[in-house]
Amino acid sequence: MGSVVLFLTLTLLAVSSSTVKSCPPSDRAALLAFKAALHEPYLGIFNSWTGSDCCHKWYGVSCDSETHRVADINLRGESEDPIFERAHRTGYMTGYISPAICKLTRLSSFTVADWKGISGEIPDCITSLPFLRILDLIGNKISGDIPADIGRLTRLTVLNVADNLISGAIPPSLTNISSLMHLDLRNNKLWGEIPRNFGRLRMLSRALLSRNQLSGQIPSSISKIYRLADLDLSLNSLSGPIPDSLGRMSVLGNLNLDGNKISGTIPASLLNSRISNLNLSKNAIQGQIPDVFGPRSYFTALDLAYNNLKGPIPKSIISASYVGHLDLSHNHLCGPIPAGSPFNHLEASSFVYNDCLCGKPLKAC
């Protein structure tokens, strides 16, 4: 009798153990509904999505080791995975992102990137995933708005929806995501103003908002983001002055404001700061180039072309510790080009279409 009880106990333990180690049927059903809304004709990435255990060898799916709930979905259309190498092509997928994904309530990372043909909208319910840290949908044809209550995703560190067809304004609630480190909204159809309290995103290191239709002024609160290293607002319709405080940021190394409608003068702080890649070209900036260059001035690239700058090229620029690429063309500058570094390695194209610049590499004064 005792041996029978022992056998039954061991059997029950084995069954319960195997049950616990596989993903819950609800997670499996949600994944299959997500798959059903997509069509991937070339690589067969969903061929492995068979069997009862979605935690075991389902391509792009990872589960929590303790709860066995689905934690990560990582599906990239451009990858060095053997599936892509065998097919000698990048991925292509059509369809849409099913709201069924929101039933994966322990989801931490959701990446469906660079499939080129996925359309539809971002499901609003995605903001109900309390553990979501990464949302990466770059390189598709997703349209509609960014969900209005995106700010509910308080654990989010990466929001990347670049290279899509997303429209509407940047939701005000976005600035509630205090954990956000990487924000990439490039190359969409976003319009309206950048939220004035954008500086609440204190953990942000990269803010990439180029190639949209954003308008209004650059919020001065951005200078409060002390970790910000890369700020790209190029190719929008931003206007007004450049906040002087941007030049006093301790980490900012890349500032790209190219192709806007920015006016006013160049803040002197920008030219004697930590910024090493400064692009202010194709705006409506006026006045003179501040004569404030010094040993702290280190520029791999300094582009001030296509503005309304007047006066001379500052002599202090020769005291900069380094200037690699320099473009001052298409302005109204006048006077002699200073001799010495960095001007001895620059070509005439850096200085053409000004009012009366002279000296090497242009004609003699």
Side-chain angles (χ1 to χ4, degrees):
M1 181 71 178
S3 60
V4 173
V5 172
L6 180 61
F7 173 77
L8 290 172
T9 302
L10 291 173
T11 302
L12 286 170
L13 284 172
V15 169
S16 62
S17 174
S18 64
T19 303
V20 168
K21 286 184 178 178
S22 61
C23 72
S26 58
D27 279 15
R28 180 180 179 274
L31 285 173
L32 292 177
F34 165 71
K35 169 190 168 183
L38 297 168
H39 177 59
E40 192 281 295
Y42 301 113
L43 301 172
I45 65 162
F46 291 125
N47 291 350
S48 63
W49 287 30
T50 59
S52 60
D53 186 7
C54 60
C55 294
H56 184 64
K57 293 184 179 180
W58 281 37
Y59 183 87
V61 178
S62 302
C63 297
D64 184 273
S65 59
E66 294 183 2
T67 65
H68 302 285
R69 297 291 308 278
V70 173
D72 303 296
I73 296 174
N74 187 12
L75 301 173
R76 294 188 179 276
E78 295 180 4
S79 169
E80 295 180 358
D81 189 279
I83 289 179
F84 295 84
E85 292 182 0
R86 286 194 297 267
H88 302 291
R89 62 168 297 139
T90 59
Y92 182 77
M93 196 186 301
T94 56
Y96 64 95
I97 296 173
S98 169
I101 209 70
C102 305
K103 296 179 181 178
L104 300 172
T105 55
R106 301 293 297 192
L107 198 63
S108 173
S109 173
F110 184 51
T111 298
V112 181
D114 295 314
W115 291 101
K116 306 170 188 69
I118 296 175
S119 56
E121 300 186 3
I122 302 171
D124 284 334
C125 62
I126 209 162
T127 64
S128 67
L129 295 173
F131 299 99
L132 197 63
R133 295 180 185 274
I134 297 174
L135 178 58
D136 187 350
L137 305 175
I138 187 174
N140 290 291
K141 290 184 179 177
I142 296 169
S143 58
D145 297 352
I146 297 172
D149 55 352
I150 191 79
R152 292 174 62 192
L153 297 174
T154 55
R155 286 183 168 91
L156 202 66
T157 60
V158 174
L159 175 59
N160 187 351
V161 294
D163 299 330
N164 278 286
L165 301 171
I166 294 171
S167 57
I170 298 174
S173 76
L174 180 74
T175 61
N176 294 334
I177 311 175
S178 58
S179 57
L180 197 64
M181 297 180 183
H182 180 101
L183 176 64
D184 194 346
L185 308 179
R186 287 176 296 177
N187 197 24
N188 278 287
K189 297 183 177 181
L190 294 167
W191 49 264
E193 298 189 2
I194 301 171
R196 294 184 69 179
N197 60 350
F198 197 80
R200 293 179 64 197
L201 300 172
R202 296 295 174 88
M203 300 296 289
L204 205 61
S205 63
R206 301 188 79 196
L208 310 177
L209 282 66
S210 64
R211 293 182 183 271
N212 280 288
Q213 298 157 21
L214 299 172
S215 58
Q217 297 192 10
I218 301 169
S220 59
S221 67
I222 288 178
S223 61
K224 296 178 181 178
I225 310 175
Y226 68 95
R227 295 172 181 261
L228 191 64
D230 189 354
L231 177 61
D232 188 352
L233 305 178
S234 62
L235 301 170
N236 280 288
S237 295
L238 299 171
S239 57
I242 301 170
D244 179 72
S245 54
L246 293 184
R248 294 192 291 272
M249 297 177 68
S250 58
V251 181
L252 188 65
N254 181 64
L255 177 60
N256 191 351
L257 305 179
D258 166 48
N260 280 285
K261 300 176 182 177
I262 293 167
S263 57
T265 59
I266 299 174
S269 59
L270 295 184
L271 303 180
N272 199 1
S273 67
R274 298 268 183 169
I275 299 170
S276 60
N277 188 351
L278 178 61
N279 191 342
L280 307 181
S281 66
K282 297 175 184 169
N283 279 287
I285 298 170
Q286 300 172 336
Q288 297 192 6
I289 301 172
D291 195 3
V292 295
F293 292 88
R296 285 190 66 197
S297 307
Y298 184 101
F299 291 102
T300 54
L302 175 58
D303 194 341
L304 307 178
Y306 291 93
N307 279 290
N308 295 317
L309 297 169
K310 298 178 180 179
I313 297 174
K315 292 181 180 178
S316 65
I317 198 168
I318 63 175
S319 66
S321 59
Y322 179 75
V323 179
H325 172 78
L326 175 68
D327 194 346
L328 304 177
S329 65
H330 297 271
N331 279 287
H332 300 287
L333 300 172
C334 194
I337 296 171
S341 179
F343 301 99
N344 51 14
H345 73 263
L346 296 172
E347 298 182 0
S349 58
S350 295
F351 306 101
V352 295
Y353 297 105
N354 276 285
D355 286 2
C356 48
L357 285 179
C358 59
K360 289 183 179 182
L362 300 181
K363 64 181 181 181
C365 292

